[in-house]
Structure formats: structure tokens, C-alpha cells
Amino acid sequence: MALHLTVRDLLLEGAGRLSASDSALLDAELLLAHVLERTRSYLLVHPEQVVGVTLAERYRSLIEQRRAAVPVAYILGQREFWSLPLAVTPAVLVPRPETELAVERCLALLANELAEVADLGCGSGAIALALATERRRWRIAATDLSAQALQVARINAATLQLDHLEFLLGDWFAPLACRRFALLVSNPPYIAGDDTALAALQHEPLLALTPGPSGLEALERIVAQAPSHLLPGGWLVLEHGADQAAAVAKMLVNAGFTHVRCHTDLAGRDRVTEAQHP
């Protein structure tokens, strides 16, 4: 029987092993497609294809990793963001679809003119690289405290053949010295240190998830330092938690920002707040 396992058999088996997940079948399809070096659509068209024992066992080992809550993106080594295939490793946060809203707001706020832009805490480079694909005339600086994260971002930039970015090692604004920008964007860590949600994110870098007890510490630092790094009329775009919009708006107003606006993600949750430096 083991010698005649089909694609359908393995998908049913994998989805059953992952039944605690709300994306069990999707995860099983992605993992089997990866092992077979095929697309998900191929699996659907060829459910009766027989899978050899070696490949079946490799697939099962990936299923067990997923059962242990390892993100699919880490298992595959890749995640799509803004229709870009990005390499991801456990050194970086897995890019989330809701972060694309930050990209949308940056593009809406600044035209395709020659401009200096900075992405603070870039991780895999998702935001910076998405902006770079859309705005070829922008010069984009991307900072991160993790040398390993910056290496992933550099690999992604090279793969996408984007050369109008620079990747700088350091904490938030530290590598930028006295430079000023037309736009600053950041998806900083914003989960409170005692939030139970962290348990489900155990395989992702803690540094990229929580900045401290309140979850607002990184946002506070960025807002406080941003005026010294923005040109007059420049914009600050921040992703934050769904329950943090009011606190972020208050920080921005107290720091002298104007035109403070919050935008909701596709699920209707407060997700990105923008503000203008006078």
C-alpha cells in the first residue's frame, strides 16, 4: 500500500494530521507541491499520480514540522508579498498580507519623483522591496538591528535585481546619522510582552514581535525620533496593532505631527497610521 500512495492519499493524510489548523488542506497542498516541485494546480489536476516512498516520507517530515507550528514560509523558505517571491528564514518575521497596506499608503502619499525614503526595521525587506519595485526613482534605505535579517533582505534585493536600495545595520535611526527623508515607514514589533498570541508565534524572532511589556515601546521611540529625520512636509507611516490606533495617534499629535490618519486592513481592523511632519 505504501508503494502506491497517490497525491490524493497524501493530501488527505496531511490535512488530517494538520486538522487543528484552519488552513490544513492549503498547508498540505503547499508542502506536497514543494516536495514534488509542482504547483498546487498540478496537484488538483493529477490527484491519482503515484508518489514514491522517498518523496512521501519527505512530505510527512514537513507535515510534522507544520504540526509543531513551524510557519509554512520557513519550511518552504519563501513567502509571497506584493506579488514578489521573498526568501524567508527564522531570522526574519514572516511577511503578512496586512502589511501590504503600509506599502499602499506610502505609494499614495509620495509620487514617483526622486525621493529619499527609509524603512525602519526592514526584516526580510518586504516593504522596502515592494516600494522599490513600484518607485524606481526612490532611493531607499532599509535598517535593521539583525545582521542575519539584513542578509536575507540583501539576498531578496539581488534576486529581484533591485539596486536602488541600501541596507544598514543598526537600531532604528542609528545607522542613518543626520539624514532626512521624504518618507519613513516601519512595521515595528508591537505585541505586548505578556500577550498569549506570542505562544503561537514561537518560531518567529521574538525581537521582531514584541518590544516590551506594553507593545508600544518601539512605536514610541520611532515617533519621538522621526521629526529629526524627516524633511518639512515628510510623512511617517506606521503599522501597529488593531487596538493601538488611538495611542499611536496621541503620540503623533504630541510629537507635533499633523494630518494624522488611521487606515483599516481588509479585515476592517485599524492597522496603519500615517502623519505628516510640518
Side-chain angles (χ1 to χ4, degrees):
M1 182 67 176
L3 297 176
H4 299 91
L5 286 170
T6 66
V7 163
R8 178 186 290 113
D9 294 331
L10 288 172
L11 288 178
L12 289 173
E13 177 186 322
R17 295 288 290 167
L18 300 175
S19 59
S21 167
D22 57 6
S23 59
L25 182 56
L26 172 61
D27 292 352
E29 290 174 349
L30 289 170
L31 295 176
L32 185 56
H34 176 69
V35 167
L36 298 181
E37 297 183 350
R38 300 285 188 175
T39 63
R40 285 177 59 215
S41 59
Y42 177 91
L43 303 184
L44 299 177
V45 175
H46 300 89
E48 301 303 327
Q49 177 179 319
V50 174
V51 179
V53 174
T54 300
L55 291 177
E57 288 306 310
R58 183 181 172 206
Y59 166 71
R60 286 168 172 150
S61 73
L62 299 188
I63 288 291
E64 292 310 303
Q65 289 183 51
R66 183 64 187 129
R67 285 192 76 215
V70 178
V72 171
Y74 289 162
I75 299 173
L76 303 183
Q78 182 174 288
R79 178 61 174 260
E80 184 176 287
F81 181 86
W82 201 259
S83 298
L84 303 173
L86 300 182
V88 292
T89 75
V92 300
L93 196 70
V94 176
R96 267 65 170 181
E98 54 266 30
T99 300
E100 292 189 354
L101 177 59
V103 176
E104 292 173 10
R105 293 312 308 157
C106 290
L107 297 175
L109 291 168
L110 206 58
N112 191 23
E113 59 202 26
L114 188 61
E116 298 279 340
V117 172
D119 176 12
L120 309 170
C122 68
S124 66
I127 293 176
L129 295 168
L131 294 176
T133 63
E134 301 292 338
R135 295 288 190 263
R136 298 288 174 160
R137 300 190 66 200
W138 288 6
R139 304 300 300 179
I140 302 172
T143 73
D144 203 284
L145 186 60
S146 167
Q148 291 178 308
L150 283 181
Q151 181 61 21
V152 174
R154 289 190 182 100
I155 289 170
N156 284 325
T159 300
L160 296 169
Q161 297 183 317
L162 297 169
D163 58 6
H164 53 299
L165 303 97
E166 59 178 325
F167 297 98
L168 304 170
L169 179 64
D171 190 28
W172 304 123
F173 295 97
L176 301 176
C178 298
R179 295 167 61 183
R180 289 181 179 265
F181 299 84
L183 184 146
L184 299 170
V185 59
S186 184
N187 174 22
Y190 52 72
I191 300 176
D194 61 354
D195 195 316
T196 55
L198 289 173
L201 303 170
Q202 59 184 298
H203 295 282
E204 299 191 59
L206 189 63
L207 186 67
L209 292 168
T210 178
S214 74
L216 293 169
E217 290 84 355
L219 288 159
E220 289 170 342
R221 287 187 60 193
I222 292 170
V223 170
Q225 297 176 42
S228 298
H229 294 276
L230 280 169
L231 295 168
W235 289 92
L236 175 61
V237 177
L238 296 170
E239 180 174 332
H240 52 71
D243 61 348
Q244 295 173 329
V248 171
K250 184 177 180 180
M251 290 178 209
L252 291 164
V253 171
N254 289 342
F257 283 88
T258 62
H259 300 99
V260 178
R261 292 187 293 261
C262 180
H263 300 270
T264 57
D265 60 24
L266 293 177
R269 295 170 296 204
D270 291 339
R271 184 60 60 192
V272 171
T273 294
E274 66 197 32
Q276 190 170 33
H277 181 50

